[in-house]
C-alpha cells in the first residue's frame, strides 16, 4: 500500500519566519497534494502537483514535486498567525485512485 | 465555501445503532469518496464511488459500512451497527476522477459513539 512519511510532526515558529516541511513516499507517485486543516473543518486544498520537478506557488506557499517522484516539500514564507493549522501531504501512486495522507504537521505561529 | 455539503455536522449515537451520514456535492461530479479521521490522527481512505457503484474500498470499509446515492444527488454513508471505535470525523470528497483532478473535501460529520 501507499505509505507516506511526513516530517516534522509539529513546529513552533516565530511570526515572520519561513517554514519548510516535507513528505516522502514508499512508492512512486503521480500526484502530490498539500492540504491545510483547521479545527472542526475539512482539509482545504493548498497546492496540487502533477509533474516530477514541478514547482508551484500559491501566495506565500511554494510546493515542489520531487524529481524522484517519491517526495514533495511545502514552504511557507513570512509566516503569519493565520498560518496556524495542520498541514497534510497527500498523494496517489499510479493505478490508485485513493489518496494516501501523511500524519500531518501541526504548525503554531507565535506572534 | 466547501464544494460539498455534509449533514449532520455532529451526530451522537449509541453503540449498536445505525447511522447515515449525508453528502451533497454542489457540482455534478461523478466521483465521490468517504474518508475518516480519528481524533488526532491522519485522514484515511474508506471508499470511492463512481457511476453509482463502489470502485474501490479500503480494509476499513467492512460489511458494517455501505454507500449509496439513492436519489442521484445525495451521497450517503451508512454504518449498520456502530462501535465505539467508529467515533471519528467522516469526510465526503469529490473530484473528476482523472489523474490531474484534486480532491476537495466537505467540512465533515463528527460521529460520536457512546
Amino acid at each position: 500500500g501507499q505509505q507516506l512519511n511526513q516530517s516534522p510532526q509539529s513546529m513552533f515558529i516565530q511570526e515572520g519566519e519561513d517554514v519548510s516541511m516535507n513528505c516522502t513516499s514508499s512508492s512512486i507517485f503521480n500526484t502530490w497534494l498539500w492540504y491545510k486543516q483547521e479545527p472542526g473543518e475539512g482539509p482545504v486544498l493548498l497546492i496540487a502537483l502533477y509533474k516530477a520537478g514541478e514547482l508551484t506557488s500559491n501566495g506565500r506557499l511554494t510546493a515542489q514535486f520531487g524529481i524522484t517522484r517519491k517526495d514533495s516539500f511545502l514552504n511557507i514564507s513570512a509566516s503569519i498567525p493565520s498560518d496556524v493549522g495542520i498541514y497534510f501531504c497527500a498523494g496517489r501512486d499510479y493505478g490508485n485512485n485513493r489518496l494516501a495522507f501523511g500524519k500531518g504537521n501541526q504548525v503554531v505561529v507565535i506572534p | 465555501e466547501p464544494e460539498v455539503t455534509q449533514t449532520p455536522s455532529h451526530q451522537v449515537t449509541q453503540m449498536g445503532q445505525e447511522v447515515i451520514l449525508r453528502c451533497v456535492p454542489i457540482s455534478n461530479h461523478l466521483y465521490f469518496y468517504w474518508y475518516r479521521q480519528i481524533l488526532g490522527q491522519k485522514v484515511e481512505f474508506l471508499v470511492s464511488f463512481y457511476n453509482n457503484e463502489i470502485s474501490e474500498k479500503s480494509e476499513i470499509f467492512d460489511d458494517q459500512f455501505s454507500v449509496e446515492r439513492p436519489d442521484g444527488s445525495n451521497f450517503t454513508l451508512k454504518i449498520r451497527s456502530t462501535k465505539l471505535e467508529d467515533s471519528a470525523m467522516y469526510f465526503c470528497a469529490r473530484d473528476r476522477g482523472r489523474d490531474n483532478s484534486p480532491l476537495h473535501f466537505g467540512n465533515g460529520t463528527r460521529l460520536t459513539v457512546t
Side-chain angles (χ1 to χ4, degrees):
Chain A
Q2 305 168 87
Q3 298 289 329
L4 289 184
N5 291 311
Q6 186 172 353
S7 62
Q9 293 188 0
S10 63
M11 305 178 79
F12 289 80
I13 57 173
Q14 289 290 137
E15 183 177 357
E17 284 185 353
D18 296 345
V19 178
S20 186
M21 61 192 84
N22 76 323
C23 217
T24 59
S25 63
S26 57
S27 53
I28 292 174
F29 277 14
N30 66 0
T31 301
W32 281 101
L33 305 172
W34 285 93
Y35 290 87
K36 180 186 178 187
Q37 187 178 27
E38 298 188 32
E41 297 184 7
V44 174
L45 182 69
L46 298 174
I47 292 180
L49 303 160
Y50 302 109
K51 293 180 184 176
E54 181 180 355
L55 183 72
T56 297
S57 293
N58 177 9
R60 292 178 297 105
L61 307 177
T62 302
Q64 185 159 30
F65 192 138
I67 57 172
T68 66
R69 298 179 184 268
K70 288 189 172 184
D71 64 320
S72 177
F73 72 74
L74 175 72
N75 285 343
I76 307 172
S77 62
S79 58
I80 59 177
S82 61
D83 290 334
V84 165
I86 302 177
Y87 292 78
F88 289 97
C89 63
R92 285 193 187 102
D93 61 19
Y94 291 93
N96 257 305
N97 215 25
R98 66 172 75 178
L99 271 186
F101 278 78
K103 290 187 177 179
N105 176 8
Q106 171 74 64
V107 171
V108 177
V109 179
I110 303 165
Chain B
E1 194 71 32
E3 298 188 35
V4 292
T5 301
Q6 290 187 242
T7 58
S9 57
H10 189 187
Q11 176 139 9
V12 181
T13 188
Q14 287 192 328
M15 197 167 54
Q17 296 295 305
E18 173 183 287
V19 294
I20 297 177
L21 311 181
R22 291 184 171 79
C23 172
V24 182
I26 292 177
S27 53
N28 193 23
H29 282 70
L30 292 176
Y31 277 90
F32 304 101
Y33 306 79
W34 283 101
Y35 284 76
R36 81 169 184 192
Q37 184 181 32
I38 294 171
L39 186 63
Q41 297 187 24
K42 65 180 180 180
V43 178
E44 299 174 294
F45 170 79
L46 291 179
V47 65
S48 59
F49 191 80
Y50 168 68
N51 209 20
N52 294 326
E53 288 184 351
I54 290 175
S55 59
E56 192 178 358
K57 59 183 180 180
S58 72
E59 53 283 353
I60 303 169
F61 194 87
D62 61 22
D63 292 343
Q64 294 292 341
F65 291 90
S66 62
V67 290
E68 62 177 8
R69 203 173 178 206
D71 55 7
S73 176
N74 290 308
F75 177 49
T76 63
L77 174 70
K78 182 192 292 186
I79 308 175
R80 222 176 315 277
S81 176
T82 50
K83 305 186 285 287
L84 295 176
E85 53 266 36
D86 292 328
S87 295
M89 286 289 289
Y90 287 81
F91 294 107
C92 175
R94 63 91 175 153
D95 66 12
R96 288 191 295 272
R98 300 196 298 264
D99 283 345
N100 62 348
S101 173
L103 200 63
H104 294 278
F105 289 84
N107 274 339
T109 293
R110 177 173 297 284
L111 176 66
T112 303
V113 182
T114 61

